[in-house]
Amino acid sequence: MAKRILVVEDNDLNRKLFCDVLKANGFEVEPVADGDQVLEMARGTAPDLIIMDIQLPGISGVDLIEAAKRDTSLCEIPVLAVTAFAGKGDEERIRSAGAAGYLAKPVSIMPFMNAVKALV
């Protein structure tokens, strides 16, 4: 059975790119554009991995990662954080929130797929 990945990305082009690449590599994808729907979607779809944009309108991806890690039904799901906001100390802050992986945008396909495969 194909692994399911929840793709949390507010940018339409990035979300489509991530989903298309993942589908081409045999994964099932559940795209989410709205950060307010992430935890509910994750509970409903039970993904094997969550790809989390850190800069979402109205809510921080870091806050969503922390909330998922506090949720007993979601805490075991690995999170791959993807962000354009890659300043000094950001990776450490994002990983300490509970992210199992971290990629800075722009993301190249091979490092992206290597990170995904390492976490599922």
Side-chain angles (χ1 to χ4, degrees):
M1 185 161 154
K3 299 280 187 182
R4 178 176 291 132
I5 300 177
L6 190 69
V7 178
V8 182
E9 171 62 67
D10 63 310
N11 179 286
D12 293 340
L13 289 174
N14 286 342
R15 189 174 58 253
K16 182 176 181 351
L17 174 66
F18 292 161
C19 289
D20 288 350
V21 168
L22 291 166
K23 285 179 194 171
N25 280 273
F27 293 98
E28 286 183 24
V29 296
E30 297 287 340
V32 184
D34 184 349
D36 293 330
Q37 298 175 348
V38 171
L39 299 177
E40 186 178 328
M41 277 283 290
R43 285 185 204 104
T45 59
D48 297 289
L49 174 67
I50 299 172
I51 296 175
M52 179 74 70
D53 184 16
I54 296 302
Q55 290 180 289
L56 296 165
I59 190 163
S60 162
V62 174
D63 291 344
L64 288 170
I65 294 169
E66 289 172 338
K69 293 303 170 184
R70 286 191 303 268
D71 187 313
T72 55
S73 64
L74 304 176
C75 64
E76 297 297 319
I77 302 169
V79 177
L80 173 59
V82 182
T83 183
F85 189 65
K88 187 172 173 63
D90 286 333
E91 181 174 359
E92 184 179 318
R93 180 176 60 88
I94 291 166
R95 285 186 182 274
S96 68
Y102 173 92
L103 288 173
K105 292 178 187 173
V107 176
S108 297
I109 301 302
M110 285 305 294
F112 174 74
M113 284 312 304
N114 289 341
V116 166
K117 289 175 182 173
L119 294 173
V120 292

